Each structure stands twice: as structure tokens, then as C-alpha cells.
Amino acid sequence: NAGVTQTPKFQVLKTGQSMTLQCAQDMNHEYMSWYRQDPGMGLRLIHYSVGAGITDQGEVPNGYNVSRSTTEDFPLRLLSAAPSQTSVYFCASTLVWGNTEAFFGQGTRLTVV
Amino acid sequence: DAKTTQPPSMDCAEGRAANLPCNHSTISGNEYVYWYRQIHSQGPQYIIHGLKNNETNEMASLIITEDRKSSTLILPHATLRDTAVYYCIVRAGGQFYFGTGTSLTVIP
């Protein structure tokens, strides 16, 4: 049982490049979400999903796309990277949409130059 | 979800109890209080959560006031490894919204 796995751990992109941050969980959790964390700040919600085929926007969705084709995977896509997207990205999963704890991955540190 | 207010930083002597306060004066009846911590920019780690009764687990205790407008996370015997940013979150079952938390430094 690996929990929530994020890949890659580190990535450097050039402005305008695209990439996908991967997130996988093996706990059969329905609810998954993506956050970004900028220096000295708390986590801000980007997108979330309450189940396969269902996604919705969080606080800061602009510049990011998501899809949820399986329960296990919830990739985050940057279509055209910008320096403002330099951040640490965290994926989280929760068993159900309810009062249960969320499990977080160890993060992907992205730098856009 | 209700907003929370936490002090930006606190110090605690090693071996002593660390008491981290959180105000959530606009909390609704169905919102739970959650505590997470983040060590060195790792992924946030769940600590404890509760609705209105005090809760205790192997990591910490959570004390919620009777009017539920504030709570305190207690680390009974703080160690250097408890140095982290602690987040108090109120949630009714939707997303987790993080504030800036309290940076706790445990001093030898």
C-alpha cells in the first residue's frame, strides 16, 4: 500500500512547454485533489474530483487541466507553462466526500524558467 | 467553509506541552475541525479532527470550546521533530482549505 504517489519529484520547464504531473493512489479513494504551495503560503486548491469522470475547479484553476478516467489516477496538465506556475504541487486523496482525513503525496517541485 | 485564524509563529521548549490555538468563530454546526502539519515542505500530515467533543490520539489532543468558536491542539511532550507548520481547517465534507498556519519551533 503506497498511499498517494506523485511523479516526478522535481521538474524544470521552459516557458510555453507543456507537461503532466502524475498522481496515483492505491487506497480506492473516491475524492482526489490538486494543490499548489508558493513560498511562505498555505496550500491553495487547483482542481478536485469526487469520482471517476467528475472534476471541478478550486480556488486557482487557471492554466491547469485535469481529467479522471480511473479511480486511481488524477493527472494535472499544464498546457503552456508560465513562470507564475513555479510552485510545489501536492496531490491528495480522501476515502469519501465527507468527514474523513485526506492523504497527501510528497509533492512535485516545478520550476518554470 | 468557515475561516480560521492562527498565530503565525510559536516556540515551545522540548519536552513541554505545545498548545496551538485556532479561532473559527463562524463555524457551522456540521463543520469539523481538522489539524494537519507540514514538515520541511513535505506533504501535509493528518494529526486529528473533531466535531464538538474533545479528541485524543497517539499524536495529540484536540480541545474544542463548548461554543465551538475556538480550539486548541495539544502536543503533550514536544520533540524537535515536531517543529513544523500546523494548519487548522474547518470543513463540512468538501475541500480542505488551508490558511498560512502556525510555524511551531521546538527549542532544545
Side-chain angles (χ1 to χ4, degrees), chain A residues 35 37 42 45 48 98-99 102, chain B residues 32 34 36 38 91 95-96 99:
Chain A
Y35 294 83
Q37 185 173 32
L45 183 67
Y48 64 96
N99 286 299
Chain B
Y32 282 68
Y34 286 79
Y36 279 77
Q38 189 176 26
R91 173 178 178 262
Q95 303 90 325
F96 285 87

Side-chain angles (χ1 to χ4, degrees), chain B:
Chain B
D1 293 328
K3 297 291 187 185
T4 62
T5 303
Q6 299 177 251
S9 63
M10 294 181 62
D11 293 336
C12 177
E14 187 178 18
R16 302 297 294 270
N19 296 281
L20 291 86
C22 179
N23 286 324
H24 31 79
S25 58
T26 60
I27 192 169
S28 301
N30 62 342
E31 288 183 312
Y32 282 68
V33 179
Y34 286 79
W35 283 84
Y36 279 77
R37 72 180 183 184
Q38 189 176 26
I39 300 173
H40 293 310
S41 297
Q42 296 176 14
Q45 177 190 24
Y46 167 80
I47 301 173
I48 199 167
H49 77 285
L51 183 63
K52 52 185 173 182
N53 297 321
N54 298 338
E55 302 287 345
T56 296
N57 62 21
E58 65 278 4
M59 291 182 66
S61 294
L62 173 61
I63 308 297
I64 303 174
T65 58
E66 192 169 344
D67 63 8
R68 303 209 323 120
K69 292 185 177 182
S70 65
S71 61
T72 301
L73 178 74
I74 301 173
L75 308 178
H77 305 287
T79 71
L80 298 180
R81 288 176 293 183
D82 293 322
T83 292
V85 178
Y86 288 78
Y87 297 98
C88 170
I89 302 162
V90 293
R91 173 178 178 262
Q95 303 90 325
F96 285 87
Y97 287 101
F98 288 77
T100 52
T102 296
S103 178
L104 175 69
T105 301
V106 180
I107 302 170

Side-chain angles (χ1 to χ4, degrees), chain A residues 29-56:
Chain A
H29 285 177
E30 297 174 7
Y31 178 64
M32 297 184 72
S33 52
W34 276 102
Y35 294 83
R36 62 177 287 173
Q37 185 173 32
D38 300 318
M41 297 182 67
L43 283 71
R44 292 185 291 169
L45 183 67
I46 305 172
H47 285 285
Y48 64 96
S49 168
V50 300
I54 306 169
T55 64
D56 206 345

